[in-house]
Amino acid sequence: MISTARAERRYRWESGFRRTRETRPPTPGGTAGGMRGFARREFELVLLRRMADYQPDLVWEAVRALEGTRTEMREVNARWQRMLRSRASPGARQRFEAVLGPPEAVMERRLGDVDFAASHWTLPLWPDLRFEVLTARNGAVLQEWLVRADGVPVPALDSVDDLTPWSCVVADLDLRFGPLAHREGEGPSRWTASFTTPDGSRHVAHFVWGLLQTVAEAGPAPR
């Protein structure tokens, strides 16, 4: 039996997918910022391709909302990987702008002795989130992931049962269950965070592009 909270979350996702299909403005020639045939829709497929290793059913639902296919998702991801490896590829920030257009917001931030810029873009599949790219002064990319948009409330994550796939981003988990023990995942775009609940049980959360995919119970802490 599906809980009321989980049913409501599923309804919001399905409604969001329908809105994406109904309201997505056409992109002339399938371009954005001069990257022919590769715009926000294609970039969303790239993000989904990585998530498919964890949540194939959710990903396929999203791909259908984008009126895409599994084959197209694989082909778009392969093209993105070729762009990343190409010597002719622009710098990281310029590459994202070529695909997604100018960022809707750029914020200057400082962490310790490091100054960096946080650029945000809206992706229709996740209207409550923003795709964030953190770049250092020298143009190096420090992080690229989904974060919650400013002013959007964090979902009620009262227990581990509320940590369903795609329900939160890394900062949401840190706010509700922190402090977290962070470490990079096994591949690009993956992130892992360990945390302990008030009852003392330990868990490991797996993220792709900053969005929660799975939570598993971990063994007892080493002594």
Side-chain angles (χ1 to χ4, degrees):
M1 182 175 181
I2 300 176
S3 67
T4 301
R6 182 170 297 184
E8 289 176 350
R9 281 195 292 271
R10 183 173 182 83
Y11 172 78
R12 287 198 296 271
W13 277 113
E14 291 177 346
S15 299
F17 289 155
R18 287 194 293 270
R19 287 196 301 271
T20 296
R21 177 177 293 180
E22 294 166 359
T23 65
R24 178 182 300 278
T27 306
T31 64
M35 189 73 75
R36 180 171 296 278
F38 207 111
R40 295 195 185 206
R41 173 183 175 276
E42 288 71 30
F43 186 69
E44 288 175 325
L45 290 173
V46 170
L47 302 189
L48 290 170
R49 175 64 186 88
R50 291 290 187 183
M51 298 179 192
D53 294 336
Y54 287 96
Q55 298 297 333
D57 291 340
L58 274 178
V59 165
W60 176 229
E61 188 176 353
V63 170
R64 286 188 298 177
L66 295 174
E67 299 182 350
T69 65
R70 291 185 176 92
T71 298
E72 182 190 12
M73 180 173 63
R74 290 192 295 267
E75 291 175 346
V76 166
N77 183 67
R79 183 183 175 192
W80 177 255
Q81 296 304 319
R82 288 194 298 271
M83 285 192 288
L84 294 181
R85 294 190 293 267
S86 172
R87 293 183 178 181
S89 177
R93 168 79 174 271
Q94 291 76 18
R95 181 170 58 249
F96 285 111
E97 290 186 0
V99 171
L100 302 175
E104 67 179 46
V106 179
M107 294 149 285
E108 298 296 326
R109 295 179 180 172
R110 185 178 181 86
L111 181 62
D113 296 330
V114 179
D115 294 314
F116 59 92
S119 303
H120 284 186
W121 287 268
T122 298
L123 298 177
L125 267 184
W126 297 284
D128 291 341
L129 307 179
R130 298 293 180 266
F131 188 75
E132 178 181 75
V133 177
L134 305 181
T135 50
R137 293 288 189 185
N138 62 1
V141 172
L142 306 177
Q143 186 60 277
E144 44 192 315
W145 58 3
L146 291 163
V147 299
R148 191 158 301 282
D150 291 341
V152 175
V154 175
L157 304 173
D158 299 323
S159 71
V160 174
D161 290 338
D162 295 320
L163 298 175
T164 56
W166 296 14
S167 63
C168 68
V169 295
V170 175
D172 298 339
L173 184 68
D174 193 31
L175 181 64
R176 299 302 194 197
F177 293 95
L180 307 178
H182 297 279
R183 64 182 177 88
E184 293 185 3
E186 298 176 351
S189 76
R190 297 187 180 186
W191 193 265
T192 300
S194 302
F195 63 97
T196 303
T197 57
D199 64 4
S201 60
R202 298 177 64 248
H203 300 267
V204 178
H206 297 274
F207 296 84
V208 175
W209 296 112
L211 190 62
L212 180 66
Q213 303 297 313
T214 64
V215 176
E217 190 168 359
R223 296 183 178 181

